[in-house]
Amino acid sequence: MESFLTPVFWAALGQIVLIDILLGGDNAVVIALASRKLPPLQRRKAIFWGTIGAVALRVVLIFFALSLLKLPFLKIIGAVLLLWIGVKLMQPDDEPEGGHGSVQAADKLWAAVKTVIVADFVMSLDNVIAIAGAAQNAGADHSLILVIFGLVLSVPIIVWGSQMVIGLMTRYPVIITLGAMLLGWIAGGLVVTDPAAESWVHAQSWGQRAGMLAGAAGAMLVWGIGQWIRSRHRRLASTD
């Protein structure tokens, strides 16, 4: 019991709490974006299952992330997925409500859950390393306990955070665009840290600023493509 009162243990615990808050913020935005178009009951289900899927992925990635991060092009593929998800989430819901409303609601529910799980998998590739690293710093006796604590703590953060973000999106629709651009920012950072590109990036004169530059480029790419598709939909709708 005394070993749990050491400064090293509490320092690792504090680090994991901070990491969880940061990770939960990303996940809350994705869940809120993916489930915002659902009715309240379906939305609560999407938040629940999306959160369960996100936490389950963290458990798997904790054991395999170090190996996965060494695979070339994996992060680049993930970045492309995040860019696509960001653009998709910017688009309005123009589907008409008809006689198949219950079927459409079910389809949309699981589509939202799948979107959350795919996005969380990509975003968690780097982040779970931070949790595992912080836990290992406390010693082998405590690492498993700290990892489990970190995963359990992430559940209320994600659930509460996503519900809060949905409320803010209702009042301030611009948050939808900002959330989609956040995915673009994360995607840009993934590209420049992929093993296939990292050595080349660091050899460039702008290598030290690569993360910020790539993040900004990814965010602007999502915004630009998303706005173009939106305007195209408006033009097509006006001609019908």
Side-chain angles (χ1 to χ4, degrees):
M1 184 67 184
E2 292 180 1
S3 60
F4 290 97
L5 302 177
T6 61
V8 173
F9 175 83
W10 288 104
L13 184 64
Q15 290 172 11
I16 287 177
V17 170
L18 289 175
I19 291 167
D20 265 323
I21 291 172
L22 294 174
L23 300 188
D26 285 350
N27 290 105
V29 170
V30 172
I31 292 176
L33 282 169
S35 62
R36 73 185 192 278
K37 300 172 185 176
L38 297 172
L41 179 60
Q42 299 286 335
R43 185 185 303 154
R44 286 193 291 271
K45 290 182 180 179
I47 291 173
F48 174 78
W49 288 111
T51 302
I52 294 299
V55 172
L57 274 176
R58 299 267 174 83
V59 174
V60 175
L61 288 174
I62 284 290
F63 295 103
F64 296 107
L66 282 172
S67 299
L68 288 172
L69 289 173
K70 295 177 183 177
L71 295 176
F73 301 107
L74 179 64
K75 287 187 180 181
I76 294 175
I77 294 170
V80 173
L81 282 172
L82 277 188
L83 290 171
W84 175 75
I85 290 171
V87 170
K88 182 180 177 183
L89 292 178
M90 277 186 65
Q91 305 313 310
D93 188 6
D94 295 328
E95 295 181 15
E97 297 181 3
H100 303 284
S102 59
V103 176
Q104 289 181 357
D107 290 343
K108 290 179 182 178
L109 167 64
W110 292 112
V113 172
K114 286 187 288 186
T115 297
V116 169
I117 291 175
V118 170
D120 188 79
F121 172 80
V122 175
M123 293 190 299
S124 296
L125 283 173
D126 278 336
N127 294 339
V128 292
I129 299 297
I131 292 179
Q136 287 173 359
N137 289 338
D141 294 337
H142 302 146
S143 59
L144 181 59
I145 294 172
L146 285 169
V147 167
I148 293 172
F149 173 81
L151 293 171
V152 171
L153 179 65
S154 66
V155 173
I157 292 175
I158 293 172
V159 171
W160 177 80
S162 57
Q163 291 173 337
M164 183 186 70
V165 172
I166 287 174
L168 290 173
M169 285 178 179
T170 303
R171 295 183 60 184
Y172 309 105
V174 69
I175 294 177
I176 297 171
T177 300
L178 294 176
M181 292 176 69
L182 172 64
L183 296 185
W185 181 281
I186 296 171
L190 286 174
V191 170
V192 296
T193 57
D194 187 275
E198 198 169 16
S199 58
W200 178 82
V201 168
H202 286 314
Q204 307 305 311
S205 58
W206 42 268
Q208 293 182 343
R209 304 188 304 276
M212 184 176 296
L213 293 172
M220 293 307 298
L221 184 63
V222 168
W223 178 82
I225 295 176
Q227 290 291 90
W228 177 76
I229 294 176
R230 275 181 175 178
S231 61
R232 186 168 176 269
H233 283 170
R234 290 194 195 100
R235 287 197 303 270
L236 291 174
S238 63
T239 58
D240 290 343

